[in-house]
Amino acid sequence: MAIEVVPEWMLNLDDEDISFIKKFLLASGSLKEIANQYNVTYPTVRLRLDKLIQKIKISEDTTNDPYVALIKRLAVNDKVDFDTAKILISEYKKIEKGY
């Protein structure tokens, strides 16, 4: 029996994100097809995909710093937008380095 290992970046996604990824794959990556399935416009789907990409990028940037980890969790859980999270982390790292 094989042991399933879920990548860390997937653990930070909610069920809706996983469903979107599944539909995206089954539609061979066609955003137009996904827009039809969700009955929304192409730009809406593109924005959703961009936010999902940001979630994955943020969760892959591993760090042991509790503050940075907290900011990333807030961003992944939509408590703070991604641009704000990046600014907070960047400014924190500047302070940490003494700039």
Side-chain angles (χ1 to χ4, degrees), residues 9 52-62 72:
W9 64 268
L52 187 54
I53 290 168
Q54 287 179 325
K55 277 187 177 184
I56 292 169
K57 283 181 178 179
I58 260 187
S59 66
E60 282 189 326
D61 182 17
T62 58
K72 287 179 182 181

Side-chain angles (χ1 to χ4, degrees), residues 8-75:
E8 183 71 28
W9 64 268
M10 287 187 81
L11 296 175
N12 292 320
L13 301 177
D14 57 31
D15 291 342
E16 194 173 306
D17 292 331
I18 300 295
S19 176
F20 180 85
I21 291 170
K22 182 179 178 181
K23 286 182 179 189
F24 179 72
L25 292 173
L26 292 174
S28 299
S30 170
L31 295 180
K32 187 176 180 180
E33 174 63 28
I34 297 299
N36 288 334
Q37 288 181 27
Y38 281 100
N39 199 30
V40 296
T41 64
Y42 177 92
T44 301
V45 173
R46 181 73 237 178
L47 181 62
R48 171 86 186 273
L49 181 60
D50 289 344
K51 288 183 83 173
L52 187 54
I53 290 168
Q54 287 179 325
K55 277 187 177 184
I56 292 169
K57 283 181 178 179
I58 260 187
S59 66
E60 282 189 326
D61 182 17
T62 58
T63 182
N64 291 333
D65 188 297
Y67 177 77
V68 174
L70 170 64
I71 297 300
K72 287 179 182 181
R73 277 195 311 275
L74 291 171

